[in-house]
Amino acid sequence: MAGIDAKASDASVGHNGGPPLEQEHRPEWGDGGIGNYFYWKAAHRAAWHNVSPGIVMFRLRKAERLGLTYEEYTLEILERGRHLQIEDVERIAEIKTARSLKRR
């Protein structure tokens, strides 16, 4: 067997060298219980995907005026329940600092 490498000779006949097929299926909600998974999934969809184009444009213009991304501005509304204003200098600075820390 001089021309066959050792790895190929270790595999059984008909084995393609791929991953094992015995791996257990893992559901999309992870290993724990299902809990509130579908409620959270619906809430996420409602917050990010079912927004009217007018609201998206309003938030986008406001975010650009404040130097934030659409996602940062929308998260502030969703998490804190308020629209940032130009006077919210400290909070805007915190968001920008957090952005720069994420990029590291």
Side-chain angles (χ1 to χ4, degrees):
M1 287 202 211
I4 300 175
D5 71 54
K7 188 174 182 181
S9 65
D10 289 344
S12 61
V13 175
H15 193 286
N16 67 1
L21 298 177
E22 294 84 33
Q23 291 179 350
E24 191 174 321
H25 170 72
R26 185 167 185 233
E28 62 184 286
W29 54 83
D31 295 328
I34 195 165
N36 293 323
Y37 172 77
F38 290 102
Y39 294 118
W40 281 105
K41 190 171 182 175
H44 181 272
R45 189 179 314 112
W48 291 103
H49 300 289
N50 295 337
V51 183
S52 72
I55 296 295
V56 170
M57 292 308 299
F58 170 80
R59 291 178 182 170
L60 187 58
R61 283 193 301 270
K62 193 85 171 189
E64 287 174 349
R65 223 176 301 141
L66 298 172
L68 301 174
T69 65
Y70 172 81
E71 289 80 11
E72 290 168 338
Y73 185 78
T74 302
L75 275 175
E76 189 67 18
I77 295 168
L78 296 173
E79 290 176 351
R80 296 193 171 39
R82 61 185 302 267
H83 294 264
L84 288 172
Q85 305 299 320
I86 200 76
E87 297 85 23
D88 296 320
V89 177
E90 290 178 23
R91 181 63 190 140
I92 293 168
E94 289 174 14
I95 294 170
K96 289 179 180 179
T97 301
R99 177 196 314 158
S100 66
L101 292 176
K102 283 182 186 176
R103 290 184 181 168
R104 289 183 186 180

